[in-house]
Amino acid sequence: MVFWSVLLAEVDDNRSCPYLAVKITPAIPVVGGILFFFVMGTLLRTSFSDPGVLPRATPDEAADLERQIDIANGTSSGGYRPPPRTKEVIINGQTVKLKYCFTCKIFRPPRASHCSLCDNCVERFDHHCPWVGNCVGKRNYRFFYMFILSLSFLTVFIFAFVITHVILRSQQTGFLNALKDSPASVLEAVVCFFSVWSIVGLSGFHTYLISSNQTTNEDIKGSWSNKRGKENYNPYSYGNIFTNCCVALCGPISPSLIDRRGYILPDTPQPAAPSNGMAAYGATQSQSDMAAATPLLQSEPSLTSDELHLPGKPGLGTPCASLTLGQPTPPSSMPNLSAEAVLTDILPLKEEHVGHQFLTPEEAPSPPRMLAGSPLAHSRTMHILGLASQDSLHEDSVRGLVKLSSV
Amino acid sequence: MATEVHNLQELRRSASLATKVFIQRDYSDGTICQFQTKFPPELDSRIERQLFEETVKTLNSFYAEAEKIGGSSYLEGCLACATAYFIFLCMETHYEKVLKKISRYIQEQNEKIFAPRGLLLTDPVERGMRVIEISIYEDRCSSGSSSSGSSSGSGSSSGGGGGAGAR
């Protein structure tokens, strides 16, 4: 979407470029071209890079966590609804709640969130950008920021020179004639005018977010705003604006934890295969691990071999579009700056409640995969999964399950 | 080194997986990668507390080094930005270099310390940096191995029962 509109603006601009190149300086189309390629580069980079997806937990991990949660809550007997699963951590003096993700079966790290479109937990989740077609998270936030910053420069640049072009022409032939000579300029000016306001506004908003080291998600929820309480402050901020900016834009990039080129081996009707982030590092370690996994196969025959291999998630560039499900948390406050820009960028929020019956087809194939050899653990997991559907706090993961069952 | 690798292979042949212990992440310092140094009770009879803590602390220090923000990381970031990130086709990031160091360290620890005790450490990067997975092996043919099936409620089919039967 963004690609085509930028391209269109460029094409229109090319019509005014020869005029401007001759009249003023040939540097204008050159600078415009450079900006254009920079914008395209950062757009593609944002779209196609892994935002920081957290791979789903292996069945053993999930079972271990379930066990620990049960111990913490006291054993839940049938019919009793277990309390929502959260862990509290004190970070830098602030109490942060870590939520349990039912889809990925992990306790989400702080600042991570589950994106229902991508159906993954993403580290330092900012938002899911439909224009870019990808989540914006820890690993691609800087590319996203450079994209919108360069796009705002580009739109201002194009707008300025379209106006200049029309003015120069109208000095020669009069205003109406100038408009007749280059009708595309009118369209371009209008498009650029609206783009400038929204894109520049969005860049300003993200500059504010970077300087205070917050994510869009946190800002919308007002997690660290003073309105919540006098003692509420952002525990992740480094104190000064300069450090916050440097860390966000020039800090170390962690490598991707998922294997995007692997093949998903079809096994039971489980649409989303777990990806055990297998990187290229420690190849020898992986060999010993694979060999170590073989006794696992021998002693637990119900696990199929493809579970232990490395199914990867196919390209994250294409959003999973079967159901447009928004983020579960409604905004408590909208930022004053460029509210409409933010609205266009962030998904519409929908509240949906899911009936229990949607979970049963999904649950049925899962127990054999969850844990081999312990029927007690199976039933407990299924029981908990069933109860989770009725818990309004787990809407996001339930939505994920609905999407899976509807595929 | 050859004998140690041989030990690992022998371990795999003669042992069966009894259970797995997961060391979770410690988020008390924020989002940096750190693992809890709390000693899990299942390892009580298998390894000394001090050795275990030292391993986890060393891993934590490696991860802190990888994620350290300072002059060199800024320089790398700016250089990468200036070259439109093409420089990463030629060289690895600092983080990747440290991850390689970590995997070498883990392999070394496995060979020297963990395998002789019937344990195996899995590199956290293979588990999405969520946990350090320690697999506890039950020696099938050894007579003196204590049953680690004593870790109650582990839920996995135990080789512990098989181990006890083989005695």
Side-chain angles (χ1 to χ4, degrees):
Chain A
M1 224 186 289
V2 181
F3 176 74
W4 293 117
S5 52
V6 172
L7 197 59
L8 188 69
E10 271 300 306
V11 166
D12 283 339
D13 197 43
N14 280 339
R15 300 224 193 106
S16 38
C17 269
Y19 183 88
L20 287 170
V22 164
K23 265 268 175 170
I24 308 180
T25 162
I28 292 172
V30 172
V31 171
I34 293 173
L35 265 180
F36 173 70
F37 283 114
F38 189 72
V39 166
M40 282 297 127
T42 47
L43 170 65
L44 293 174
R45 188 93 200 189
T46 312
S47 286
F48 294 117
S49 60
D50 171 17
V53 168
L54 289 169
R56 284 171 166 66
T58 56
D60 293 318
E61 278 176 61
D64 187 67
L65 269 180
E66 298 270 339
R67 200 170 35 89
Q68 283 177 13
I69 290 167
D70 281 340
I71 292 171
N73 289 344
T75 41
S76 56
S77 46
Y80 167 65
R81 204 169 105 181
R85 298 179 183 187
T86 51
K87 253 199 237 179
E88 293 211 341
V89 166
I90 301 191
I91 298 176
N92 214 359
Q94 286 282 329
T95 313
V96 176
K97 271 207 174 122
L98 303 183
K99 292 197 188 148
Y100 181 76
C101 179
F102 277 89
T103 315
C104 304
K105 300 201 173 56
I106 56 171
F107 273 98
R108 281 183 218 132
R111 310 189 101 179
S113 187
H114 189 93
C115 173
S116 29
L117 277 186
C118 302
D119 200 28
N120 282 309
C121 277
V122 176
E123 277 187 286
R124 200 189 181 279
F125 179 77
D126 195 84
H127 64 283
H128 182 98
C129 182
W131 303 94
V132 159
N134 196 8
C135 274
V136 176
K138 184 172 87 163
R139 295 184 74 251
N140 64 353
Y141 188 54
R142 69 194 66 189
F143 307 130
F144 176 73
Y145 181 70
M146 290 199 288
F147 166 62
I148 54 174
L149 198 64
S150 52
L151 187 61
S152 44
F153 282 129
L154 183 66
T155 45
V156 167
F157 182 84
I158 293 178
F159 187 62
F161 285 109
V162 162
I163 300 291
T164 314
H165 176 213
V166 170
I167 289 175
L168 288 177
R169 267 201 203 262
S170 52
Q171 274 174 354
Q172 283 181 327
T173 61
F175 185 62
L176 287 172
N177 283 335
L179 288 184
K180 252 196 300 178
D181 285 338
S182 56
S185 300
V186 181
L187 177 66
E188 213 180 323
V190 169
V191 168
C192 275
F193 180 73
F194 290 112
S195 308
V196 161
W197 284 113
S198 50
I199 302 287
V200 170
L202 188 64
S203 310
F205 174 60
H206 278 280
T207 310
Y208 158 72
L209 287 183
I210 285 185
S211 59
S212 60
N213 201 337
Q214 285 185 82
T215 62
T216 307
N217 208 16
E218 286 168 352
D219 187 75
I220 285 182
K221 288 194 210 167
S223 310
W224 312 122
S225 84
N226 288 330
K227 294 180 196 149
R228 282 215 181 183
K230 271 194 169 251
E231 292 304 315
N232 209 23
Y233 59 88
N234 184 2
Y236 310 108
S237 171
Y238 291 90
N240 70 52
I241 293 178
F242 184 65
T243 317
N244 285 337
C245 291
C246 283
V247 172
L249 301 175
C250 306
I253 303 186
S254 52
S256 175
L257 295 171
I258 58 176
D259 171 23
R260 293 196 287 175
R261 291 192 190 162
Y263 286 101
I264 299 180
L265 299 170
D267 36 33
T268 49
Q270 185 114 350
S275 358
N276 282 344
M278 181 75 157
Y281 321 103
T284 44
Q285 177 63 37
S286 67
Q287 284 167 19
S288 61
D289 189 49
M290 292 308 278
T294 347
L296 183 65
L297 278 176
Q298 289 163 4
S299 58
E300 299 177 26
S302 56
L303 273 176
T304 48
S305 61
D306 35 314
E307 265 187 75
L308 296 167
H309 284 282
L310 320 163
K313 268 228 161 302
L316 287 171
T318 43
C320 322
S322 55
L323 278 175
T324 313
L325 297 168
Q327 293 295 329
T329 43
S332 52
S333 67
M334 288 302 292
N336 292 328
L337 197 61
S338 71
E340 53 178 345
V342 174
L343 273 172
T344 53
D345 213 14
I346 294 172
L347 289 170
L349 301 168
K350 286 183 200 165
E351 291 291 313
E352 280 174 42
H353 291 276
V354 181
H356 180 58
Q357 66 267 24
F358 287 111
L359 290 179
T360 22
E362 155 61 22
E363 280 175 82
S366 65
R369 287 172 54 82
M370 280 296 298
L371 182 66
S374 171
L376 183 63
H378 288 182
S379 56
R380 222 184 270 163
T381 320
M382 276 187 67
H383 171 71
I384 289 166
L385 269 177
L387 292 171
S389 67
Q390 291 144 24
D391 198 318
S392 59
L393 285 173
H394 305 298
E395 275 161 0
D396 51 353
S397 45
V398 164
R399 285 211 193 95
L401 289 170
V402 169
K403 191 149 63 77
L404 288 176
S405 62
S406 68
V407 164
Chain B
M1 191 63 85
T3 47
E4 283 143 359
V5 173
H6 193 55
N7 278 340
L8 265 178
Q9 288 167 348
E10 267 183 12
L11 175 73
R12 276 178 237 127
R13 259 183 269 128
S14 66
S16 67
L17 185 67
T19 186
K20 291 186 182 181
V21 179
F22 297 98
I23 314 292
Q24 300 286 340
R25 284 270 294 267
D26 174 17
Y27 293 114
S28 55
D29 279 334
T31 50
I32 60 168
C33 186
Q34 243 187 352
F35 291 95
Q36 293 176 353
T37 48
K38 188 171 78 82
F39 189 68
E42 292 91 347
L43 294 181
D44 210 2
S45 51
R46 308 293 289 225
I47 191 171
E48 294 80 34
R49 186 181 287 255
Q50 221 254 325
L51 276 175
F52 168 81
E53 279 179 8
E54 197 191 301
T55 308
V56 178
K57 284 196 180 129
T58 317
L59 281 176
N60 283 344
S61 71
F62 274 130
Y63 285 117
E65 187 199 324
E67 296 179 359
K68 186 172 74 91
I69 44 170
S72 59
S73 67
Y74 289 154
L75 200 62
E76 190 189 40
C78 290
L79 178 68
C81 183
T83 62
Y85 298 92
F86 281 112
I87 194 136
F88 292 138
L89 293 171
C90 317
M91 68 171 228
E92 321 180 292
T93 64
H94 175 65
Y95 207 111
E96 286 168 349
K97 286 190 195 126
V98 177
L99 282 179
K100 286 206 170 141
K101 255 205 301 190
I102 289 172
S103 74
R104 275 198 303 269
Y105 172 74
I106 288 180
Q107 192 176 25
E108 193 190 297
Q109 289 289 102
N110 270 334
E111 282 164 6
K112 291 195 189 135
I113 299 180
F114 288 88
R117 293 169 170 77
L119 302 171
L120 189 71
L121 223 57
T122 306
D123 197 340
V125 88
E126 293 171 23
R127 294 290 176 263
M129 306 286 258
R130 298 180 296 264
V131 287
I132 301 177
E133 185 180 300
I134 303 180
S135 314
I136 302 178
Y137 286 92
E138 197 51 51
D139 223 357
R140 263 191 231 123
C141 21
S142 124
S143 51
S145 60
S146 58
S147 166
S148 59
S150 61
S151 51
S152 52
S154 70
S156 62
S157 67
S158 67
R167 264 178 228 153

